[in-house]
Amino acid sequence: KGKIEELLDFAQLVDKRSVKVEALSGVMKRRLTIARALVSEPEILMLDEPTTGLDPQARHILWDRLFRLKEKGVTLVITTHFMDEAEQLCERLIVIDRGKIMAEGSPTDLIKRYSSKEVLEVRFGSEKNEELAEKLKDKCERLEVLPDRILLYAEDAEKSLEEIMKSGMHPKTSLVRRSSLEDVFSQNNCGPNNEPFSLHVGGAHALLADGSVRFISENIAWQTYRAICGANEGSAVSDF
């Protein structure tokens, strides 16, 4: 009984102890699932896209629960479509493509290695973006043209924007932001020796967290993950 009360408190479901599962909200069901998986006090917890379909507030509540588990030393294996989730939960990443490790490091390390410090997003209008892209190449380290905007990767994005304005080009909107994992995975040259490859983030990949978090491919997870994460042979595993 004490364990049940402890887990209900952890999942913030104490006031719902008498409510049937069907009546719980989506995020409450996710938290309940995690609580149930923790009954046996596993050393490793496997989650399949735990925040898919949740609103931003609910996602952050669930992230908080997962952070607490990490602080207690529980290893987390997570599949996710969300790069911001990976950036929030990860301390170490391993990116695997077609069974080969293509990149490894912390989110910060990967951003520094494969992207720029900052990104400038500019919009000139869908008709003009392609036309002006060629003129913008000398204003940044790397340029990416999207249907609705142009991304300029630079160490000083504010300076790039100033140069654009001085050259007589005036975007309808502009945004300066720091680089993220989304930017790392948007390019195709972060493999060894800059080999081109696609990084598809979704069900074919997983995040591994044991205080550190790593990308692994689902189809090789069970064959290799003990060696990758250093788990002991006697480790308890909870899967859901």
Side-chain angles (χ1 to χ4, degrees):
K1 186 176 180 181
K3 186 66 175 178
I4 292 174
E5 291 299 318
E6 176 189 338
L7 292 175
L8 285 174
D9 180 62
F10 171 82
Q12 296 180 315
L13 294 172
V14 173
D15 60 336
K16 301 291 183 180
R17 59 162 55 86
S18 300
V19 177
K20 291 187 176 182
V21 174
E22 293 77 8
L24 297 176
S25 67
V27 68
M28 289 179 181
K29 289 178 181 178
R30 303 287 176 90
R31 297 204 302 263
L32 176 61
T33 302
I34 293 175
R36 289 173 57 188
L38 294 174
V39 170
S40 60
E41 299 185 348
E43 295 177 30
I44 300 172
L45 187 63
M46 304 181 74
L47 305 98
D48 182 17
E49 300 184 21
T51 63
T52 296
L54 301 183
D55 61 58
Q57 182 179 15
R59 288 179 68 201
H60 281 86
I61 291 173
L62 195 53
W63 286 356
D64 175 66
R65 302 296 101 177
L66 296 178
F67 270 122
R68 295 190 184 201
L69 290 178
K70 284 179 60 179
E71 290 174 346
K72 292 181 179 180
V74 177
T75 294
L76 305 177
V77 180
I78 307 170
T79 61
T80 181
H81 281 85
F82 305 115
M83 285 296 90
D84 59 335
E85 185 162 271
E87 198 164 347
Q88 288 289 329
L89 296 177
C90 297
E91 294 173 10
R92 180 169 176 244
L93 292 172
I94 292 177
V95 182
I96 293 181
D97 184 69
R98 299 180 183 89
K100 295 181 179 180
I101 295 176
M102 308 302 289
E104 181 177 353
S106 68
T108 302
D109 290 337
L110 292 177
I111 290 170
K112 285 182 178 179
R113 200 182 316 163
Y114 303 122
S115 189
S116 58
K117 183 179 180 180
E118 296 180 341
V119 181
L120 170 62
E121 299 187 9
V122 292
R123 289 180 169 87
F124 294 94
S126 54
E127 304 83 10
K128 293 185 177 180
N129 283 342
E130 285 282 356
E131 175 187 334
L132 294 176
E134 193 66 31
K135 298 179 181 179
L136 296 174
K137 286 184 177 179
D138 63 343
K139 314 293 184 187
C140 58
E141 298 173 12
R142 182 169 69 89
L143 181 144
E144 184 178 356
V145 182
L146 302 179
D148 62 330
R149 64 194 186 280
I150 302 174
L151 305 183
L152 292 87
Y153 296 86
E155 288 303 300
D156 188 342
E158 287 283 0
K159 183 178 179 181
S160 295
L161 180 58
E162 289 177 9
E163 292 178 359
I164 290 171
M165 301 295 282
K166 287 179 181 178
S167 64
M169 292 179 281
H170 300 281
K172 293 181 178 180
T173 65
S174 62
L175 171 68
V176 173
R177 60 173 175 80
R178 71 175 184 85
S179 274
S180 67
L181 283 179
E182 290 279 359
D183 301 305
V184 172
F185 290 102
S186 71
Q187 60 176 313
N188 293 323
N189 65 342
C190 61
N193 302 317
N194 288 329
E195 294 177 75
F197 70 102
S198 297
L199 291 169
H200 301 291
V201 182
H205 298 85
L207 293 173
L208 203 62
D210 53 338
S212 64
V213 186
R214 317 168 191 196
F215 261 115
I216 60 173
S217 176
E218 278 186 341
N219 64 349
I220 65 164
W222 282 110
Q223 293 88 338
T224 64
Y225 98 93
R226 285 193 182 278
I228 293 175
C229 73
N232 296 324
E233 285 302 317
S235 294
V237 178
S238 185
D239 182 13
F240 62 90

